[in-house]
C-alpha cells in the first residue's frame, strides 16, 4: 500500500475506534500503535519502539513516556498518548516537555489518536516549544497535510528538512491567524495601513473609526467576489443564485461547499422538489438536510480546507464516510442520495 492508502486506512480505523476506545490504553492499541506502523516503525521491535520509556528527570525518578521511537541508534521521537475523548487543547503534557529537555529526541508528539501534534525546539535549543509546529487531523486532512506527515516516515526522516519545514509552518500559521483576526476585527494600526493607501487626508481618530467597518466589508466583499468567480465556472455564470441560497451570516461557507450543495440538489431534484433540500453550515462540516430537519440528513460535506470527504446516510442509520479526489465525485453517490431522499418522502 502507498503512504496515502495507509493513512486513509488508519483514518477509517480511527472513525470506528471513536465509539469504543475511550481509555488511554485502548486508544494506544487501536490507533497510536497503528499510526507508528504507518510511519514505518515495527512496533514490536524494541530496537525501534520502546514502550513505557523511562528517563529520570531531576528529582523525579521512574516517570515514563508512552513511546520512544528510534531511528538507527538514536531516539528521535517521544510520543505521549491521551484517550480518544481527550481534547488536546486541555491536555497536560508536562512529561513530554520535561523528557524532551533531558533526552536527545528532536520531535515530541502528542496525540489522542485522532489529532496528532508535533513539537520541536524552534524557540530555544533543547527546550520543547509550547506550541506545535504541525497538527494532523486523521478525520480532516488534505494533500499538503499528507506531504508534511510523510516527512516523519522512518525511511524519509531528515531532521534538517523537518526543522526547515517547521519554521515555515510556524510563520504560515501565524500569518493566517493574523489575517483572520484582522478580518474579524481589524485593529487601528491595520486600518491606518489600509487607509494610507486610499485616503489623502489626515488620519484622525474619527477617520480611522470610519474606515474600520469599511475594511471589514472589504474583506467580506473580496471573499464573495472570489467565491462568485469560482462558482461562475462551476454553474455556467449563475453563481449569484447559488450565493443567495446561503444565509449571508454564514461567512464560513466556502465555494467548494456551495458547489457540493448544488450538486446534491441537482441529484435530489430527480425525486423531490429542490426547495426541500436545504444547506445548513456548521463549524466542522456542511450539512445538506431534507426539509431543513436535522433528523433527515441527506449528506454532510467535509470540505474545510482539508481532505475532502462526504458522509452519506440511510434512513435511521449511522453515516458512512467516502473520501473524494474531487467535488465532482459526489455524482458517484447519486444512488445513495436519491435513496435517502425517497425514504423521507415515504
Amino acid at each position: 500500500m502507498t503512504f496515502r492508502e495507509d493513512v486513509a486506512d488508519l483514518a477509517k480505523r480511527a472513525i470506528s475506534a471513536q465509539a469504543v476506545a475511550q481509555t488511554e490504553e485502548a486508544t494506544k492499541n487501536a490507533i497510536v500503535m497503528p499510526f507508528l506502523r504507518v510511519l514505518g516503525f515495527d512496533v514490536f521491535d524494541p530496537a525501534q519502539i520502546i514502550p513505557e520509556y523511562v528517563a529520570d528527570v531531576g528529582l523525579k525518578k521512574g516517570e515514563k513516556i508512552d513511546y520512544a521511537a528510534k531511528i538507527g541508534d538514536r531516539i528521535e521521537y517521544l510520543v505521549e498518548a491521551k484517550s480518544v475523548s481527550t481534547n488536546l487543547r486541555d491536555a497536560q503534557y508536562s512529561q513530554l516537555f520535561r523528557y524532551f529537555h533531558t533526552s536527545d529526541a528532536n520531535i515530541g508528539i502528542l496525540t489522542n489518536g485522532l489529532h496528532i501534534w508535533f513539537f520541536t525546539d524552534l524557540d530555544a535549543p533543547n527546550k520543547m516549544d509550547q506550541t506545535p509546529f504541525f497538527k494532523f487531523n486523521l478525520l480532516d486532512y488534505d494533500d499538503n497535510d499528507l506531504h508534511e506527515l510523510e516527512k516523519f516516515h522512518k525511511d524519509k526522516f531528515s531532521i534538517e528538512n523537518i526543522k526547515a519545514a517547521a519554521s515555515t509552518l510556524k510563520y504560515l500559521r501565524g500569518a493566517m491567524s493574523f489575517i483572520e483576526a484582522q478580518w474579524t476585527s481589524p485593529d487601528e494600526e491595520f486600518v491606518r495601513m489600509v487607509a494610507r493607501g486610499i485616503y489623502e487626508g489626515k488620519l484622525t481618530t474619527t477617520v480611522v473609526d470610519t474606515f474600520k467597518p469599511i475594511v471589514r466589508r472589504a474583506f467580506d466583499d473580496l471573499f464573495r467576489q472570489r467565491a462568485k468567480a469560482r462558482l461562475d465556472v462551476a454553474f455556467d455564470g449563475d453563481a449569484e443564485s447559488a450565493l443567495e441560497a446561503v444565509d449571508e451570516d454564514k461567512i464560513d461557507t466556502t465555494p467548494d461547499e456551495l458547489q457540493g450543495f448544488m450538486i446534491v440538489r441537482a441529484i435530489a431534484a430527480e425525486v423531490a422538489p429542490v426547495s426541500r433540500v436545504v444547506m445548513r453550515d456548521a463549524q466542522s462540516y456542511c450539512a445538506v438536510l431534507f426539509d431543513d430537519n436535522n433528523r433527515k440528513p441527506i449528506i454532510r460535506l467535509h470540505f474545510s480546507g482539508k481532505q475532502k470527504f462526504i458522509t452519506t446516510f440511510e434512513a435511521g442509520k449511522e453515516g458512512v464516510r467516502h473520501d473524494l479526489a474531487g467535488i465532482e465525485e459526489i455524482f458517484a453517490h447519486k444512488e445513495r442520495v436519491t435513496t435517502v431522499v425517497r425514504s423521507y418522502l415515504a
Side-chain angles (χ1 to χ4, degrees), residues 6 14 18 29-30 67 69 73 93 108 142 149 167 184 188 201 230 260 262-263 282 287 294 319 327 344:
D6 283 340
Q18 284 184 86
N29 292 333
Y67 301 101
D73 295 327
Y93 49 98
D142 62 14
L149 182 65
S167 180
T184 303
E188 182 172 331
R230 292 185 63 182
M262 296 301 286
I263 291 173
N294 270 332
I327 298 173
Y344 297 143

Side-chain angles (χ1 to χ4, degrees), residues 143-255:
D143 286 344
N144 288 331
D145 294 325
L146 276 175
H147 176 70
E148 294 300 329
L149 182 65
E150 194 169 13
K151 292 176 182 176
F152 298 94
H153 193 283
K154 182 170 67 74
D155 295 339
K156 298 183 181 245
F157 179 81
S158 165
I159 190 57
E160 293 78 13
N161 291 342
I162 287 176
K163 286 199 172 185
S167 180
T168 299
L169 289 169
K170 174 184 176 181
Y171 291 118
L172 176 62
R173 185 176 62 245
M176 291 174 65
S177 296
F178 173 79
I179 292 171
E180 183 178 14
Q182 297 306 322
W183 187 342
T184 303
S185 180
D187 60 33
E188 182 172 331
E189 183 179 354
F190 184 80
V191 173
R192 284 182 178 275
M193 180 187 72
V194 174
R196 277 194 292 268
I198 57 179
Y199 183 74
E200 296 181 355
K202 185 178 179 180
L203 292 177
T204 63
T205 300
T206 301
V207 171
V208 171
D209 288 342
T210 301
F211 265 94
K212 281 185 178 180
I214 294 174
V215 172
R216 282 197 299 269
R217 175 65 185 274
F219 269 121
D220 289 340
D221 285 356
L222 180 60
F223 173 80
R224 185 180 177 83
Q225 288 171 16
R226 286 179 175 267
K228 184 177 183 299
R230 292 185 63 182
L231 287 167
D232 273 334
V233 175
F235 299 115
D236 197 22
D238 193 25
E240 200 61 42
S241 61
L243 286 166
E244 289 171 358
V246 181
D247 189 329
E248 287 287 343
D249 290 334
K250 296 176 181 177
I251 60 173
D252 290 334
T253 302
T254 67

Side-chain angles (χ1 to χ4, degrees), residues 296-323:
K296 297 181 178 180
I298 299 172
I299 204 169
R300 286 180 183 172
L301 313 173
H302 303 263
F303 295 164
S304 303
K306 303 291 184 180
Q307 167 68 45
K308 291 181 173 59
F309 66 95
I310 59 173
T311 303
T312 60
F313 297 85
E314 294 180 30
K317 294 187 179 181
E318 191 173 331
V320 178
R321 170 175 170 152
H322 309 275
D323 289 349

